[in-house]
Amino acid sequence: MAEEALIVIDLQNDFCPGGALAVAGGDEIVPLVNDLIRRTEHVVLTQDWHPAGHSSFASSHPGSQPFETIEMSYGPQTLWPDHCIQGSIGSDFHSGLAWTKAELVIRKGFRTAIDSYSAFFENDHTTPTGLAGYLKERGIDTLTLVGLATDYCVAFSALDAVKQGFKTTVRLDACRGIDLSGSLDAMIALMREAGVTLEDHLSD
């Protein structure tokens, strides 16, 4: 019997309407995510967890604006508004999220010099979060990903999950995207090519 886990990506206040890096409709997915949590035995949450002055913040680069791209030692990096600062209200999970069932919370982006989109690796694609080892040790081989944002942290997590050998599904109806310069279509195409199963129950 395959063991399955639900990975809820960054369903935090700063990514919901009114937050510092709001994803349009980000709060709309909460009831559906809660329903999936209720129906899944193993639940893992990820939490963006940046120190103040993080290198991915536009405010850390004088003269730069949010959503510009700069070159970092590990490759191109989109600059963001200050968001999900450790211990802030913005970093808290959405108040409507039924998070108490989670067996594990993976915090990411806490290293000042490197950003982290994926639940599995920092943006250098080599520094692991430990999630793959945890899941494998628990005998979990099948993952469903939901959360924010489709074209960044969800997509990068899904691509890494496939590379780590997990059977991976993204529930697009339980995600919302940022869509910078066509990033949503591009990342959906990348996920499809990589073998991620994309489900959208709204279009059934």
Side-chain angles (χ1 to χ4, degrees):
M1 175 75 183
E3 285 287 345
E4 300 183 18
L6 178 70
I7 314 291
V8 181
I9 305 288
D10 297 359
L11 230 174
Q12 294 165 261
N13 290 327
D14 268 346
F15 296 128
C16 291
L21 184 49
V23 179
D27 53 349
E28 297 170 357
I29 65 173
V30 171
L32 177 52
V33 171
N34 285 345
D35 188 48
L36 291 167
I37 287 172
R38 277 191 289 274
R39 293 192 278 122
T40 309
E41 184 177 353
H42 303 295
V43 178
V44 173
L45 307 182
T46 70
Q47 188 174 24
D48 227 25
W49 195 249
H50 295 305
H54 193 268
S55 62
S56 70
F57 295 166
S59 61
S60 299
H61 303 271
S64 295
Q65 296 296 316
F67 310 113
E68 288 180 8
T69 299
I70 65 167
E71 199 66 28
M72 302 281 268
S73 61
Y74 50 85
Q77 171 66 51
T78 301
L79 295 179
W80 305 106
D82 293 24
H83 66 281
C84 295
I85 292 171
Q86 296 169 355
S88 68
I89 290 171
S91 71
D92 288 346
F93 294 118
H94 185 282
S95 61
L97 181 66
W99 58 268
T100 55
K101 190 176 174 184
E103 300 175 354
L104 179 71
V105 176
I106 287 281
R107 286 179 166 160
K108 56 192 184 63
F110 55 80
R111 294 176 174 88
T112 302
I114 187 167
D115 206 5
S116 185
Y117 297 154
S118 170
F120 293 92
F121 290 96
E122 306 280 4
N123 282 8
D124 60 3
H125 307 295
T126 57
T127 305
T129 65
L131 178 56
Y134 173 86
L135 294 170
K136 288 173 181 176
E137 195 167 303
R138 298 289 309 278
I140 292 166
D141 58 10
T142 303
L143 306 178
T144 298
L145 276 68
V146 299
L148 305 171
T150 316
D151 41 342
Y152 283 89
C153 296
V154 173
F156 280 89
S157 298
L159 293 169
D160 281 344
V162 168
K163 285 179 193 163
Q164 293 296 304
F166 295 99
K167 185 181 176 196
T168 306
T169 297
V170 169
R171 277 286 298 267
L172 292 173
D173 51 333
C175 302
R176 291 293 183 274
I178 297 175
D179 204 14
L180 287 181
S181 307
S183 56
L184 188 57
D185 285 346
M187 293 309 288
I188 284 175
L190 269 180
M191 286 192 284
R192 191 171 278 123
E193 288 165 20
V196 177
T197 299
L198 301 175
E199 294 185 1
D200 187 348
H201 291 228
L202 291 179
S203 61
D204 285 357

